[in-house]
Amino acid sequence: MQHVLVLNASYEPLNVCTVRRAHVLVFKGKAEVLEQHELPIRTATSTYARPHVIRLLNYVRVPRTVKRKISRRALFARDGWRCVYCGAGTHLTLDHVVPRSRGGDSVWENVVTSCAPCNLRKGNRLLHEVEMTMHTTPRPPSPSLFIRIAAPKIPNTWAPYLREAAAA
Ligand SMILES: [Zn+2]
């Protein structure tokens, strides 16, 4: 299945959609094609551009506070597939920095990737109680991370748009 990168009117990456969905947006005049495949879409009567990257013509307001659901895949990707405590890359688990039993919430700022041994060692305690430290500060991931997760392989044509987003 082919994926299409959808940019906001501001060129900010928004999400990923199917070629069919992208085609409908372009056909309805809601988006323009920025990058397209060499091979167009052929139907019985017409030929259309096969979009690879599209841009919405009207700006879609994306609330900064929008809660992206926490998944292990997104969490591990955010933390570089490493334990934030010791750097191990195996037996990864989800850890609440402030344990739920101590009032910690399941929010991006309070969940981290932890290897099973560190998770076990920490238990229901706070970091200073077990003299453990994190090598990163947990934050909500950027939209680009979800795009990278949604598309198994990032096509070369997408790279400049995602790079600009990361730098912004
Ligand atoms: Zn660890």
Side-chain angles (χ1 to χ4, degrees):
M1 213 205 7
Q2 283 176 339
H3 295 83
V4 178
L5 176 64
V6 183
L7 304 179
N8 211 335
S10 60
Y11 288 87
E12 227 179 320
L14 268 185
N15 53 37
V16 169
C17 74
T18 62
V19 170
R20 181 185 293 268
R21 170 86 185 130
H23 179 64
V24 169
L25 287 170
V26 172
F27 190 74
K28 287 185 174 172
K30 293 186 174 173
E32 64 172 352
V33 178
L34 290 185
E35 306 280 345
Q36 62 189 63
H37 291 267
E38 284 174 28
L39 292 175
I41 300 169
R42 289 184 206 283
T43 67
T45 52
S46 309
T47 302
Y48 304 101
R50 188 187 293 272
H52 218 171
V53 180
I54 63 168
R55 171 180 168 254
L56 299 179
L57 296 179
N58 289 314
Y59 185 77
V60 174
R61 191 163 289 283
V62 185
R64 289 284 160 203
T65 53
V66 70
K67 293 263 195 296
R68 295 267 199 171
K69 211 172 137 244
I70 295 170
S71 70
R72 276 164 193 265
R73 194 165 147 76
L75 180 71
F76 296 170
R78 182 198 70 180
D79 295 337
W81 300 89
R82 299 252 158 225
C83 170
V84 299
Y85 303 119
C86 75
T90 52
H91 306 295
L92 299 180
T93 63
L94 181 155
D95 181 52
H96 285 76
V97 180
V98 176
R100 271 186 290 190
S101 61
R102 310 267 302 251
D105 287 329
S106 291
V107 293
W108 285 107
E109 292 82 352
N110 192 46
V111 292
V112 292
T113 305
S114 167
C115 70
C118 282
N119 205 335
L120 196 66
R121 185 177 151 215
K122 187 164 158 285
N124 274 337
R125 289 170 296 179
L126 301 172
L127 287 178
H128 70 268
E129 296 171 348
V130 276
E131 292 180 358
M132 287 168 75
T133 52
M134 294 186 282
H135 60 68
T136 58
T137 307
R139 291 193 182 89
S142 67
S144 298
L145 182 116
F146 292 95
I147 288 163
R148 279 171 218 282
I149 289 171
K153 188 179 177 293
I154 298 296
N156 292 336
T157 49
W158 294 14
Y161 301 99
L162 296 179
R163 234 193 334 270
E164 277 165 32

